[in-house]
Amino acid sequence: MRRFISVLLMLLCTFSISGFLPVPQTGTNITIINRNNQIATQITDGDLIRIQITLLQPVTEQDRIDFKLGQKSLPVGTCVITKGSTRCTTESFPSLGWHWDPGGVLQDKRIIQAVNDNGEFMGQSNPITVLPRPVVMVHGFLSNWKTWTTYLDPNGYLASLGLHGFAVGDGQVTGELNVGSPASPAARTNTIAQNAEILGQYISEVKQRTGAEMVDLVVHSMGGMISRYYIDRVMQERDVAQLIMLGSPMGGSDCAVLPAALGFYLPASIEIRPSYMMGVFNQQITHRRGVEFYDLGGTAISDAFKSPCTDVPNDTVVSFGSINAISLQASKMNETHSDLTFASAVFENFVKPLLQKPAGSFLSQPDPAPPEQSQSPLEFTRVYTGHVETGNSTELTINIEPNINVAAFALYDPSRSVTTIVRGASGNVIVLDPQTNGFIRVDDPASLLYLGYGFQNPRPGPWKVTVQATEATPSTGTDFAISVYFVGGAKLETKSSNLIPQLNEKVELDAELSLNGQPLKIKEAKAFIRGSEGTNETLDFSAGQNISTRWTPRNPGMYAVDIVVTGLAPDGSTIERTGFLSVEVQPNPGKLQITFNLFLLIAAIVLVLFGILYGIVKLTRHVRR
């Protein structure tokens, strides 16, 4: 019986959770060394580690050691034991994906195997506990942490994977973004840069609380821009495993012109505009620091006449083209923008597989070149703004010229309470419905629009749009903005000589209107310039073709520059178009240096005066003695 037990024990010694292995070299010791240079028996997925092997006897010849992870024998590191030595250690590397095997199989214990140059098995480590990375979620424009409820609930999406989730603003650690609140549309928001600093502090506290060195970022909409800025400008050393975006407009959203026209949610509503994202943000925020970017675009709308304010396909406010405005790994799903943080299909088919990425599947991403700047493919008329009192209505006239294939209307009302009546060029009221006109009502207060509808091959002439208050309209009434874009007809090209000018630097604004490639005469043009601090300025252009005007910014900050032109078609009919630019004025570095030098001078004078006063007091005491 004793002999049987001895044989059984010998057999068991040759087994491990990694399978049947040869007996390791006697005395071989394989350990994980953490970033504090300590032997670790527990790590969190993504921690920076080194692997060390120590032999009982020195090697007689130099020997390379390859380390492999788990049953799949995945190569994870290598080191060389020099002749006469007993030990070698790998370079530091992140243990990304160690908590998962392919297919989403959880692995909370890992064993490292060692093989030498000749393929001989050298030994294996004791089981190492691997905890999962925490997940940090970042909400978007006009939203808050509650958009992630289905992820955070005790029985929510993340709990089903055994993951700990944190949503910025949820109170688990300190930090709250300011991307605007529907309750206070006129209040100022933070810039993307300011919100990125808050995100950085939030991530830092999550790491302190969990002991993790890396987190996954799962973000929605504008949260993608904030996270990109964090990775590029704020992150000191890599602590983001991957950036998983849902409907983040890498090329901005044309729908942002609606709240911006009312002066709402500044400067955030300017930063979302395509001209800012493509002309300013994407030209500067290019560093990835090795982090992989993923972005899921909703494609619920594919017909142009059903798309209120952006190109198709889109999720109502973000086009799939905007998702792909920078180099990244893009996917699409038939979802709306508001549903991307709730839909189970989004989690199961997009987010979950990324959170379960196994070791060996994390690829370090190089920094791409800045994308080419391009104009929006949509041609907008002016953005019509107004105010409607309780019990009243406001009527607008919108001219649709000949040869327009699609006219799409979008209405933004922060109270989400008005109704609209549309009369075509014939004067008849058009009954709006989802099939014929793509009529939609978006009840999500975080959305960039409230009502949307469109028309294929609309009859040319003046169209009347009546905005009518309802019983739900606040007693003080409500502001509204309406945008209209056309497919077909004339095209307007606008540009600024500099989208990132210095303070007091002259900026030239240009406009050119054309039809079928032929320049048209512009009889009137104005530039409406709205600053993020609430300033307003209007500049006139001279009439003609290829017109221009000059603007000298007097204050630093973000500016929406809307160039509205009225031109004449060959048949004498009027054409109206608007180009939407974004300019970020930089403080004058010379003045900053003068201010700093003045501060140093004043400080020096104060110190000298303090020294003199101290000397006088000391001398007076000495005389009294």
Side-chain angles (χ1 to χ4, degrees):
M1 183 68 180
R2 288 181 179 177
R3 185 172 182 179
F4 172 76
I5 294 173
S6 298
V7 172
L8 181 61
L9 288 173
M10 289 178 64
L11 289 171
L12 288 173
C13 287
T14 64
F15 278 93
S16 75
I17 61 173
S18 301
F20 191 75
L21 297 170
V23 178
Q25 178 179 319
T26 304
T28 300
N29 186 21
I30 299 172
T31 55
I32 297 293
I33 309 296
N34 63 23
R35 68 164 56 234
N36 297 320
N37 207 31
Q38 298 172 335
I39 294 176
T41 58
Q42 174 177 294
I43 63 172
T44 299
D45 191 316
D47 284 0
L48 198 67
I49 62 170
R50 293 175 294 148
I51 304 175
Q52 185 177 89
I53 184 171
T54 305
L55 306 180
L56 186 62
Q57 300 292 333
V59 295
T60 56
E61 297 292 338
Q62 178 174 291
D63 203 359
R64 190 187 75 183
I65 305 297
D66 294 321
F67 298 101
K68 301 180 184 297
L69 178 70
Q71 291 179 326
K72 303 295 181 182
S73 295
L74 180 74
V76 290
T78 186
C79 66
V80 175
I81 305 179
T82 57
K83 181 180 178 180
S85 298
T86 61
R87 176 182 299 175
C88 72
T89 308
T90 67
E91 296 291 332
S92 296
F93 65 93
S95 55
L96 284 167
W98 281 33
H99 188 68
W100 302 100
D101 267 348
V105 179
L106 184 151
Q107 292 290 349
D108 57 0
K109 298 285 186 182
R110 286 294 194 182
I111 282 182
I112 306 299
Q113 306 162 20
V115 179
N116 72 3
D117 238 346
N118 298 321
E120 297 173 345
F121 178 72
M122 301 297 290
Q124 65 184 34
S125 69
N126 291 323
I128 300 149
T129 300
V130 183
L131 303 177
R133 292 187 305 274
V135 180
V136 171
M137 292 165 286
V138 188
H139 62 79
F141 184 61
L142 301 186
S143 190
N144 57 54
W145 70 270
K146 293 180 181 178
T147 194
W148 301 109
T149 299
T150 52
Y151 282 74
L152 288 172
D153 278 351
N155 297 317
Y157 294 152
L158 295 182
S160 69
L161 303 182
L163 301 179
H164 190 171
F166 297 82
V168 182
D170 63 3
Q172 292 190 72
V173 299
T174 57
E176 185 175 359
L177 305 178
N178 177 6
V179 288
S181 168
S184 304
R188 191 182 185 279
T189 72
N190 285 345
T191 62
I192 290 175
Q194 290 168 332
N195 280 321
E197 292 285 349
I198 295 169
L199 173 60
Q201 183 59 39
Y202 190 92
I203 291 174
S204 177
E205 293 193 21
V206 167
K207 288 162 55 182
Q208 291 175 20
R209 175 169 169 175
T210 62
E213 295 176 11
M214 280 202 187
V215 303
D216 283 322
L217 283 180
V218 178
V219 308
H220 180 234
S221 194
M222 196 176 192
M225 290 103 97
I226 295 168
S227 298
R228 280 180 58 195
Y229 194 98
Y230 167 74
I231 291 168
D232 185 290
R233 296 288 177 89
V234 181
M235 186 170 71
Q236 296 300 306
E237 63 176 344
R238 182 177 174 183
D239 57 16
V240 175
Q242 54 189 337
L243 175 57
I244 304 170
M245 297 180 279
L246 307 176
S248 289
M250 298 295 93
S253 171
D254 289 301
C255 304
V257 302
L258 289 161
L262 294 169
F264 289 169
Y265 315 116
L266 301 176
S269 58
I270 300 176
E271 293 176 311
I272 302 175
R273 291 163 70 137
S275 54
Y276 179 80
M277 284 301 299
M278 295 301 293
V280 179
F281 191 86
N282 288 342
Q283 302 304 310
Q284 301 179 79
I285 308 302
T286 59
H287 299 306
R288 304 279 175 100
R289 314 285 290 280
V291 179
E292 292 177 278
F293 287 9
Y294 300 87
D295 204 350
L296 176 69
T299 54
I301 297 178
S302 57
D303 296 319
F305 76 95
K306 294 181 179 180
S307 175
C309 49
T310 192
D311 199 16
V312 291
N314 63 64
D315 63 10
T316 62
V317 294
V318 175
S319 71
F320 194 62
S322 179
I323 296 291
N324 287 278
I326 63 170
S327 173
L328 47 66
Q329 299 181 59
S331 301
K332 57 186 176 183
M333 205 171 290
N334 188 29
E335 299 287 348
T336 64
H337 193 74
S338 300
D339 288 342
L340 288 173
T341 59
F342 298 99
S344 60
V346 170
F347 175 74
E348 290 293 332
N349 300 319
F350 181 72
V351 179
K352 179 179 175 180
L354 292 174
L355 295 178
Q356 294 178 319
K357 279 176 58 176
S361 62
F362 287 82
L363 304 176
S364 182
Q365 293 298 304
D367 295 339
E372 292 184 6
Q373 300 183 45
S374 60
Q375 291 259 325
S376 168
L378 304 180
E379 293 295 327
F380 282 85
T381 67
R382 70 170 63 243
V383 176
Y384 301 85
T385 60
H387 182 87
V388 61
E389 298 287 350
T390 305
N392 292 331
S393 62
T394 299
E395 185 178 82
L396 304 171
T397 300
I398 299 169
N399 184 64
I400 298 181
E401 71 254 23
N403 303 314
I404 297 299
N405 301 320
V406 171
F409 293 67
L411 182 146
Y412 177 76
D413 159 29
S415 72
R416 306 189 115 65
S417 66
V418 302
T419 61
T420 183
I421 300 171
V422 179
R423 289 180 173 82
S426 65
N428 298 326
V429 173
I430 299 175
V431 178
L432 304 175
D433 70 81
Q435 294 304 317
T436 307
N437 311 108
F439 178 76
I440 59 170
R441 176 183 284 107
V442 184
D443 291 323
D444 179 10
S447 178
L448 289 165
L449 77 145
Y450 172 49
L451 302 176
Y453 46 88
F455 307 91
Q456 290 183 303
N457 302 313
R459 182 173 179 173
W463 286 54
K464 304 288 186 181
V465 177
T466 301
V467 180
Q468 196 165 30
T470 66
E471 293 181 357
T473 301
S475 58
T476 54
T478 186
D479 294 323
F480 67 86
I482 294 177
S483 69
V484 186
Y485 79 81
F486 298 146
V487 176
K491 296 186 178 298
L492 173 66
E493 182 179 355
T494 58
K495 60 183 179 180
S496 168
S497 60
N498 193 344
L499 295 176
I500 317 174
Q502 298 291 328
L503 193 67
N504 296 318
E505 178 183 346
K506 292 187 182 300
V507 177
E508 186 167 306
L509 305 173
D510 300 313
E512 180 181 2
L513 188 66
S514 63
L515 181 63
N516 299 323
Q518 297 300 313
L520 299 179
K521 181 180 179 180
I522 298 174
K523 63 178 184 180
E524 183 181 15
K526 293 180 181 293
F528 298 95
I529 303 172
R530 182 185 297 276
S532 56
E533 300 297 334
T535 59
N536 289 282
E537 188 175 353
T538 302
L539 300 177
D540 291 315
F541 290 76
S542 56
Q545 296 178 348
N546 300 321
I547 60 175
S548 64
T549 190
R550 286 189 173 184
W551 168 54
T552 304
R554 303 299 183 188
N555 295 293
M558 214 81 64
Y559 290 84
V561 181
D562 299 348
I563 300 177
V564 181
V565 306
T566 303
L568 293 175
D571 63 0
S573 60
T574 298
I575 295 175
E576 191 170 60
R577 294 289 187 273
T578 301
F580 303 99
L581 301 177
S582 302
V583 175
E584 186 172 17
V585 180
Q586 307 298 306
N588 190 311
K591 286 192 174 183
L592 287 177
Q593 186 63 47
I594 292 172
T595 302
F596 181 69
N597 291 340
L598 184 61
F599 170 78
L600 291 179
L601 179 61
I602 293 173
I605 292 172
V606 170
L607 288 174
V608 170
L609 291 175
F610 178 80
I612 294 173
L613 180 61
Y614 177 77
I616 293 173
V617 171
K618 190 173 182 180
L619 180 61
T620 302
R621 288 178 179 176
H622 178 73
V623 171
R624 286 178 179 177
R625 288 177 184 175

